[in-house]
Amino acid sequence: MAPPLGRHTAPSDTGEHSGTTRRPPLDGTARRRPLAGTTRRSLLAGAAALGALGAAGCSRVATASAREGGDLLGRLRAQGVVRLGIAGEIPFGYIDKDGHLTGEAPELAKAVFKRLGVREVQPVPTEFGSLIPGLNSQQFDVVAAGMYVTPDRCEQVVFADPDYRMLDSFIVRKGNPKGLHDYRDVVRKGARFATGTGYAEIQYAVAAGYKESDILIVPDQVAGLNAVEAGRVDVFAGTALTTRQVVMKSSKAEATKPFAPLVDGRPHVDGGAFAFRRTETALRDAFNVELRRMKKSGDVFRILKPFGFTEDEMTGMTAKELCRG
């Protein structure tokens, strides 16, 4: 079986974008899904004003950076600013209604880079599928979008160690009348199954034996919740984070207990992390040193908690183990 994909993206991380996503046709995508009432388009539009200034200077800075070569961290300290590639996705990295950069990855980046002597962060909004191409063409210095670490991506970038881990969960009718707790239950009980456009959960369901052509594909978890509430499907699969948040105000549906999908017969847990150009291992290593200190002190959880993350989603996994698949 092909290795699992990452948090929701475009069909590939090569800069192509068709509006679907995180093996063929899901290869290279990552699981980032807007929460209730939010779309990637609206978030990117909201980011435009703040991102335009950064984008205007990106080519000049990138050209100078490429020409200089050498110590990127030293240059960032001298400039006093690091450019963050974000994808406009709540809760991972986005511009809020007041025009401020926020999300679990940007807020964590602010803290880590401050420790590294870089005072400010500057957002560079783009589509998720353009994050890796944009990073490698020096449009920004680091991907700060909670990107899942996958073997395919590890061939294109270097990752910091994951700052969070993520399990799957189902949206089901109140009381979970069909007793659906994992993908095998869905197959055994012939449940009507839905998930989001390009979600990794498509592959997990197919691996469990569900026929791909029978899967109802909807835009996001909000549409998934609506489908369950209306009785069009029995279950919608998503991440534990997004499912538990989207059902909070529902009187008809609930989220199941988080679980690890099976990949090649083994439970698999995804992890999201910051990505750097393959030439920037020194910056990645310095970032990891501070990240590990912040994990030990509890600062990482303190920063991520307001965005819906739980202690169970904190992790000691390494990028190295996730890159192996």
Side-chain angles (χ1 to χ4, degrees):
M1 174 182 167
L5 306 177
R7 259 182 12 126
H8 145 118
T9 65
S12 70
D13 289 327
T14 61
E16 300 173 358
H17 182 70
S18 68
T20 60
T21 49
R22 151 174 203 232
R23 281 306 209 221
L26 307 174
D27 196 17
T29 65
R31 174 155 53 203
R32 281 306 176 245
R33 304 150 194 175
L35 295 187
T38 307
T39 66
R40 182 191 301 277
R41 180 176 297 174
S42 66
L43 286 167
L44 288 174
L50 189 58
L53 180 61
C58 279
S59 59
R60 294 193 297 273
V61 176
T63 301
S65 177
R67 187 168 57 243
E68 293 169 11
D71 177 20
L72 176 57
L73 179 54
R75 294 198 301 276
L76 296 178
R77 285 169 172 159
Q79 294 165 188
V81 62
V82 56
R83 296 165 301 155
L84 307 180
I86 65 169
E89 293 175 309
I90 297 174
F92 302 102
Y94 60 100
I95 308 299
D96 68 17
K97 58 183 175 61
D98 296 318
H100 300 134
L101 171 66
T102 191
E104 66 90 13
E107 295 299 338
L108 186 54
K110 292 174 188 177
V112 173
F113 278 104
K114 183 177 181 180
R115 287 168 170 252
L116 292 173
V118 184
R119 299 182 303 277
E120 298 180 10
V121 300
Q122 180 184 87
V124 182
T126 188
E127 291 287 346
F128 200 101
S130 298
L131 285 170
I132 287 180
L135 175 69
N136 286 331
S137 62
Q138 303 197 42
Q139 294 175 30
F140 36 85
D141 305 302
V142 56
V143 172
M147 180 177 280
Y148 276 5
V149 181
T150 69
D152 287 345
R153 292 196 179 120
C154 292
E155 295 178 1
Q156 304 173 67
V157 298
V158 293
F159 283 100
D161 289 334
D163 42 272
Y164 73 89
R165 68 174 200 152
M166 190 57 62
L167 299 174
D168 280 9
S169 176
F170 291 157
I171 296 174
V172 295
R173 297 282 293 185
K174 284 282 188 182
N176 196 2
K178 287 187 175 291
L180 305 173
H181 302 285
D182 59 29
Y183 295 102
R184 293 170 296 182
D185 288 341
V186 172
V187 174
R188 282 196 298 262
K189 299 183 181 183
R192 294 168 298 166
F193 177 82
T195 191
T197 302
Y199 283 17
E201 285 76 9
I202 297 171
Q203 199 67 23
Y204 296 148
V206 171
Y210 204 90
K211 189 175 179 181
E212 186 167 359
S213 60
D214 289 342
I215 299 174
L216 175 64
I217 303 298
V218 298
D220 54 32
Q221 70 274 9
V222 178
L225 171 65
N226 292 337
V228 171
E229 289 182 331
R232 296 197 303 274
V233 296
D234 301 306
V235 57
F236 172 88
T239 68
L241 173 62
T242 54
T243 57
R244 68 171 172 257
Q245 292 195 350
V246 78
V247 301
M248 288 178 65
K249 296 182 179 180
S250 175
S251 61
K252 297 180 179 179
E254 65 185 38
T256 65
K257 183 178 179 180
F259 64 94
L262 297 180
V263 174
D264 294 333
R266 296 177 299 172
H268 174 80
V269 179
D270 287 301
F274 292 80
F276 304 81
R277 288 185 288 277
R278 291 184 63 83
T279 55
E280 304 301 346
T281 54
L283 176 58
R284 186 275 312 272
D285 292 346
F287 189 97
N288 263 345
V289 168
E290 299 303 331
L291 180 65
R292 289 164 184 161
R293 289 172 177 166
M294 292 178 66
K295 286 181 178 181
K296 187 174 182 179
S297 69
D299 284 343
V300 170
F301 178 55
R302 177 182 58 79
I303 291 170
L304 268 59
K305 184 178 179 180
F307 299 99
F309 291 80
T310 68
E311 285 194 83
D312 287 342
E313 284 150 0
M314 300 300 97
T315 182
M317 291 190 300
T318 66
K320 184 177 180 179
E321 63 187 279
L322 289 175
C323 284
R324 289 197 299 261

